[in-house]
Amino acid sequence: MVSPEDIEEFIEKAFLKLTENYIQEGAVINDLKSITMTANPKSAKNRSFTTRSKKLLVMLLIPFLYGMFNRYIYNNIIKNFQGTRCLLPNNYLIWEFTRPITNCDYCRDVEAPLILPNLTKEEFRFYSYSSRPMIIKNAAYDWPAHKEFTLDFFRNLYERIEGAYESIEEECQFLHFKSNFANLREVFAMSEGRASYREGEDPWYVGWKNCHPQILDTMKQFYNIPHFLPDDAEIPYSNYIFMGYEEGAVMHLDYISRLMWQAQVIGSKTWIVAPTPECDNECRSFKFSVNVTDVVLLDTRIWYHSTHIENGNLSLTVTSEYG
């Protein structure tokens, strides 16, 4: 017989996968924040009450959700991916009620990113694994990627390497955000007018994870892992490219295992970061800009974040993790 713990774990993993799709569909979390319970970390009584309430809600939902999953997901979603749209609005709610309560110490009294000059490893050691948002100025000033990374560069790279497109679909990830592209091939096939965001054309913004070895080997001829990161940091060989105009990413959390670094290779980008809902009464959201050659460091697992590109200019960033 399946235990309640196994059912709860199954539901949480399934909704976590749907969360990734939810973000890709361009959804926002404003409705979630209006209904999520808020806890005061200074009060052990409040934390205990909120934790018990979350667990109670999950346990009450398990019988209904388990039946729905058996009947709906296995019979319909696998056969028809469009069926996931019906479940997506509930996804963030379930995630919020099943993730651990955040200790608000990470965001208390933080009202802006810490802005640092281009540091050495030794100088950066004190800040290495902090959850405080940081901008390291001009840390990527000497990267050849500023001149080499373009839409044409990546189109030609993916066209000439066998299995490159398949690697995105099979083991990596493509994020279309609010753009109307189904995959990376469609991005590279857009008209020259739209690619340059000429007058009358629709804006676009996409991201994709690179994990094909030949793609990564070629890319890394033109950029470096930020030189100030500690030697003992675990840094995956894969990376993400985010590029486009105007729209950027909607407000969300990332489901990754490490801290995030992102280098602004072309243009600039405006970020809005916000605390988790239970910290709304103690912490503030704030906005900041990251300019070309800057590197932003953010714990995107606990800071909600969205991005926007202003003034009709192209933004291109390289992103990965460390920890």
Side-chain angles (χ1 to χ4, degrees):
M1 181 177 179
V2 180
S3 68
E5 290 78 12
D6 291 336
I7 296 173
E8 184 175 352
E9 181 181 1
F10 168 75
I11 291 172
E12 184 172 343
K13 287 181 178 180
F15 272 105
L16 179 58
K17 179 60 180 175
L18 288 177
T19 295
E20 297 176 359
N21 295 333
Y22 185 56
I23 294 171
Q24 293 181 45
E25 293 298 322
V28 296
I29 63 163
N30 292 340
D31 292 340
L32 169 67
K33 284 200 168 189
S34 67
I35 58 176
T36 302
M37 298 180 67
T38 302
N40 182 351
K42 293 182 179 179
S43 168
K45 182 178 180 180
N46 282 350
R47 286 201 306 270
S48 177
F49 172 78
T50 305
T51 302
R52 290 198 306 270
S53 299
K54 283 186 171 185
K55 290 182 178 178
L56 177 61
L57 179 63
V58 171
M59 294 306 297
L60 289 173
L61 286 172
I62 282 175
F64 168 74
L65 291 174
Y66 186 56
M68 180 180 67
F69 267 54
N70 275 330
R71 184 175 64 180
Y72 188 81
I73 288 187
Y74 289 112
N75 292 333
N76 294 332
I77 290 184
I78 294 177
K79 297 177 182 178
N80 183 0
F81 176 75
Q82 293 299 320
T84 58
R85 293 177 179 268
C86 298
L87 289 175
L88 294 180
N90 295 324
N91 190 14
Y92 262 114
L93 180 60
I94 296 298
W95 173 254
E96 279 295 325
F97 275 107
T98 55
R99 71 169 175 81
I101 292 289
T102 303
N103 185 326
C104 299
D105 287 346
Y106 82 95
C107 61
R108 193 175 290 113
D109 299 323
V110 177
E111 299 182 2
L114 183 63
I115 299 178
L116 299 169
N118 193 359
L119 303 175
T120 64
K121 287 182 188 291
E122 184 65 28
E123 293 169 331
F124 184 70
R125 181 179 299 176
F126 176 78
Y127 310 99
S128 293
Y129 299 106
S130 171
S131 60
R132 171 78 181 266
M134 290 180 278
I135 300 173
I136 314 300
K137 300 296 292 183
N138 299 315
Y141 76 95
D142 58 349
W143 290 8
H146 300 301
K147 295 182 179 179
E148 298 294 333
F149 283 5
T150 63
L151 195 66
D152 285 339
F153 171 89
F154 289 108
R155 179 192 296 114
N156 294 335
L157 185 60
Y158 269 82
E159 289 290 342
R160 75 169 185 262
I161 294 178
E162 184 178 356
Y165 286 116
E166 288 75 14
S167 70
I168 299 288
E169 298 172 0
E170 296 172 3
E171 55 183 321
C172 292
Q173 187 179 26
F174 173 73
L175 301 165
H176 61 72
F177 299 106
K178 294 182 180 180
S179 305
N180 60 341
F181 300 114
N183 52 54
L184 194 56
R185 288 182 188 271
E186 290 189 4
V187 174
F188 293 153
M190 81 172 91
S191 68
E192 183 179 346
R194 188 177 184 192
S196 302
Y197 190 32
R198 293 175 184 168
E199 185 175 355
E201 296 285 353
D202 292 330
W204 57 274
Y205 184 83
V206 298
W208 69 90
K209 184 178 182 180
N210 298 288
C211 50
H212 191 289
Q214 289 179 260
I215 296 287
L216 292 165
D217 289 345
T218 301
M219 289 181 63
K220 291 190 176 182
Q221 298 175 31
F222 304 104
Y223 83 94
N224 303 306
I225 301 299
H227 60 274
F228 53 81
L229 293 180
D231 290 329
D232 62 354
E234 293 183 1
I235 302 173
Y237 197 62
S238 59
N239 63 42
Y240 280 85
I241 291 291
F242 294 99
M243 67 182 303
Y245 297 86
E246 287 200 6
E247 295 172 326
V250 298
M251 189 69 76
H252 66 285
L253 289 178
D254 290 337
Y255 306 105
I256 58 179
S257 57
R258 306 175 184 89
L259 299 163
M260 180 218 74
W261 65 264
Q262 182 173 115
Q264 192 70 41
V265 176
I266 296 174
S268 61
K269 186 184 291 185
T270 299
W271 291 69
I272 298 176
V273 298
T276 49
E278 62 268 28
C279 298
D280 274 348
N281 290 341
E282 299 189 50
C283 303
R284 296 184 179 182
S285 61
F286 53 90
K287 180 168 68 172
F288 59 88
S289 293
V290 179
N291 297 317
V292 64
T293 76
D294 293 346
V295 174
V296 61
L297 306 174
L298 185 67
D299 191 342
T300 56
R301 303 166 298 181
I302 55 176
W303 285 101
Y304 278 96
H305 54 287
S306 65
T307 59
H308 184 77
I309 299 98
E310 298 178 347
N311 302 320
N313 295 319
L314 175 69
S315 170
L316 189 152
T317 59
V318 176
T319 303
S320 192
E321 306 170 21
Y322 78 99

